[in-house]
Amino acid sequence: MPTRPQVYRPEATLLDLGDGFFDPVAPADFPETRLRFRNDRAAAQIGVDTLTDDEWTRHFGRFEPLPGTLPQPFALRYHGHQFRNYNPDLGDGRGFTFAQMRDDQGRLMDLGTKGSGQTPWSRAGDGRLTLKGGVREILATEMLEALNVPTSRTLSLIETGEHLHRGDEPSPTRSAVLVRLNHSHVRIGSFQRLAYERDEAGLRKLVGYTLRNLYDEDGDDPVRLLDLVVGRTARLAARYMAAGFVHGVLNSDNINVTGESFDYGPWRFAPTWDPAFTAAYFDHQGLYAFGRQPEAIHWDVMQLAVALRQIAESEPLVAALDQFGPRYQPEVTQAILWRLGVRPRDPDTDRDLVQATERALRTSRVGIDRFFFDAFGRELPDTYAEPWTEVRAALASYEPRKDRSHPYWSGEPCSMLIDEVEAIWAPIAENDDWTLLNAKVAAIRNMGDALAE
């Protein structure tokens, strides 16, 4: 029997928080709106896939309110640590939340923007997004979704006809506005702002809002919230590692309380298992390097615990925070077994296989995507000699979770290294040719289908 289409189910729960948590704003009036990307697969999950292109552009380029949801856009207020330095002058500076609805799993979802214009938190910024930045976010979110990483999804990208000047890429460059679909934009930094302002009532209200709307739990227990966030963020860190992904800017304002990755700037996929590999050219100390991401995310969650200390006792908060490591270890084991395409056996055996895999990847310098493609659901080919002996022997005793009958396995591994990102962008910049981007999105989704349960 065919599944029924998702019915549009608007919400406006953000309003429950009150105006102390956000500022009403107006979107920029762009010179033009040219639809460049619409994600109908994601749109179908929230019941907006039936919009015509004209309706789509009005809602996601001009921000005509969607029926029944938020009456206008709101720029969220938050603080955060940026590269471990506290910054109280943050907040949505080039984006806003403009709609909420339930998805086909019943989860509350936010529609948020990037590049939609200035807000009270823009500081000296123009509130805009480069078209290249939007293309990069499409590629990041599509790839991460396919690799089983909890992530926002790029719902829409619309070119806006402005010429932007940036110091880190050729200027002037084309502009765009992006819409992302997220299971909340409430960040660790949202709690930090309230703690900084010593707003205990606001902290309790935000804890209750988060538990009720994002975790489907009653009450306003800050320790329970921290425990849930520890679990979700440990899972996120583990899946970053299995995907070979480096976010680049794991500041506390970029970690939301649902453990869902979002806001992609200088991201990279690591070519090889190099713990020191960094994504951001300005990360001179390697604070957010590939191998340090679990530590970085744990540090951010520690800042949530510090903020919640104003409304909870230290001891239970510390106890919850101390569970990050014990939760991360089984999560990274499960994530790597998933990518290997095998079913778990027992914790000790599984951990040994994962540790052997990490050692061999680090020593051999074999490409991450190449290895997981070759190893998926079977013994390693004979071409994998030393240092792969231990991995070959261990894999032989595992049951595949899925066979290799999908057409994807007859080709080559789908990767997303920086050179390919540039190669996809070049024809767009030079000839307005979107063929490579569209083909790559299709290839990534094909890989995701092959990997999925």
Side-chain angles (χ1 to χ4, degrees):
M1 175 180 290
T3 58
R4 295 178 61 188
Q6 164 67 8
V7 176
Y8 174 66
R9 296 168 58 193
E11 294 275 0
T13 61
L14 186 66
L15 301 178
D16 295 345
L17 286 171
D19 57 12
F21 290 81
F22 45 73
D23 295 276
V25 294
D29 184 12
F30 298 115
E32 62 181 59
T33 48
R34 299 182 65 190
L35 179 57
R36 294 302 195 178
F37 177 78
R38 62 176 282 171
N39 187 342
D40 279 320
R41 186 170 65 169
Q45 295 176 348
I46 56 172
V48 299
D49 54 313
T50 58
L51 294 175
T52 66
D53 281 354
D54 180 63
E55 291 169 332
W56 185 283
T57 302
R58 293 205 310 271
H59 289 304
F60 305 140
R62 300 296 181 189
F63 299 100
E64 177 182 302
L66 286 161
T69 181
L70 300 176
Q72 65 186 109
F74 294 100
L76 303 183
R77 301 177 183 179
Y78 49 85
H79 291 181
H81 279 87
Q82 298 185 306
F83 288 85
R84 304 283 167 93
N85 296 306
Y86 193 76
N87 188 346
D89 297 318
L90 297 177
D92 283 335
R94 59 171 175 167
F96 48 61
T97 300
F98 71 97
Q100 293 181 298
M101 65 280 294
R102 297 283 169 180
D103 71 2
D104 55 2
Q105 303 300 311
R107 299 187 308 162
L108 179 67
M109 306 298 290
D110 288 352
L111 289 184
T113 63
K114 193 173 184 178
S116 50
Q118 291 182 312
T119 77
W121 309 104
S122 298
R123 293 175 287 172
D126 62 12
R128 276 24 180 205
L129 171 69
T130 66
L131 182 62
K132 183 179 183 180
V135 167
R136 285 173 45 81
E137 186 138 344
I138 292 169
L139 293 171
T141 54
E142 290 286 336
M143 194 74 177
L144 289 174
E145 182 182 1
L147 291 174
N148 203 33
V149 177
T151 180
S152 65
R153 281 160 293 164
T154 304
L155 183 72
S156 172
L157 184 68
I158 291 174
E159 190 168 357
T160 54
E162 296 177 315
H163 300 287
L164 306 180
H165 290 268
R166 295 291 186 266
D168 55 355
E169 62 179 280
S171 296
T173 189
R174 293 152 71 179
S175 60
V177 62
L178 178 144
V179 174
R180 69 165 69 100
L181 180 64
N182 242 74
H183 184 35
S184 174
H185 284 81
V186 176
R187 312 148 192 260
I188 288 174
S190 306
F191 292 86
Q192 289 182 278
R193 180 185 73 85
L194 296 166
Y196 180 89
E197 296 177 354
R198 308 197 67 80
D199 183 357
E200 293 186 7
L203 276 168
R204 290 192 177 91
K205 180 180 283 190
L206 188 56
V207 168
Y209 174 91
T210 303
L211 285 170
R212 182 172 61 256
N213 293 297
L214 307 181
Y215 284 101
D216 295 321
E217 295 204 2
D218 294 327
D220 58 359
D221 181 0
V223 176
R224 176 57 177 160
L225 175 61
L226 181 63
D227 179 68
L228 291 165
V229 174
V230 164
R232 290 284 186 89
T233 53
R235 180 184 67 176
L236 174 63
R239 294 192 185 180
Y240 274 173
M241 299 305 290
F245 181 72
V246 187
H247 183 282
V249 191
L250 291 175
N251 297 330
S252 62
D253 58 300
N254 283 339
I255 304 294
N256 71 15
V257 291
T258 60
E260 188 178 53
S261 180
F262 75 110
D263 200 16
Y264 300 100
W267 61 268
R268 298 282 190 276
F269 281 90
T272 61
W273 199 276
D274 177 6
F277 180 82
T278 57
Y281 69 87
F282 46 82
D283 187 3
H284 303 297
Q285 305 303 316
L287 183 64
Y288 299 144
F290 175 52
R292 295 185 67 183
Q293 291 182 118
E295 170 201 339
I297 292 174
H298 184 206
W299 192 92
D300 288 330
V301 179
M302 188 185 308
Q303 307 319 304
L304 175 61
V306 170
L308 294 175
R309 176 63 187 85
Q310 290 198 15
I311 57 172
E313 295 298 321
S314 294
E315 187 173 348
L317 290 172
V318 171
L321 187 65
D322 284 348
Q323 288 301 304
F324 187 94
R327 292 187 182 185
Y328 170 77
Q329 290 303 324
E331 286 285 359
V332 78
T333 298
Q334 183 181 41
I336 290 179
L337 290 179
W338 181 88
R339 201 162 180 201
L340 284 168
V342 296
R343 299 190 183 282
R345 288 181 53 193
D346 64 79
D348 290 340
T349 304
D350 295 343
R351 184 175 61 251
D352 290 346
L353 171 59
V354 166
Q355 290 176 347
T357 298
E358 290 178 346
R359 284 195 300 271
L361 278 168
R362 190 166 55 248
T363 302
S364 69
R365 312 294 290 175
V366 169
I368 294 173
D369 298 315
R370 177 83 259 174
F371 163 71
F372 283 116
F373 181 91
D374 291 342
F376 187 88
R378 67 178 186 188
E379 298 179 38
L380 278 173
D382 294 339
T383 52
Y384 284 80
E386 288 295 338
W388 294 99
T389 305
E390 185 180 359
V391 177
R392 285 170 58 87
L395 270 177
S397 64
Y398 276 81
E399 176 188 354
R401 69 170 176 85
K402 194 173 184 181
D403 64 31
R404 296 173 65 97
S405 61
H406 191 281
Y408 171 71
W409 302 112
S410 64
E412 289 294 310
C414 181
S415 297
M416 185 42 61
L417 303 182
I418 187 59
D419 288 347
E420 186 171 5
V421 175
E422 295 298 325
I424 289 170
W425 169 248
I428 296 173
E430 295 165 9
N431 301 308
D432 203 31
D433 182 353
W434 294 74
T435 305
L436 288 182
L437 175 67
N438 294 331
K440 189 63 182 184
V441 169
I444 292 170
R445 292 181 177 184
N446 185 54
M447 176 185 69
D449 291 343
L451 292 172
E453 294 295 342

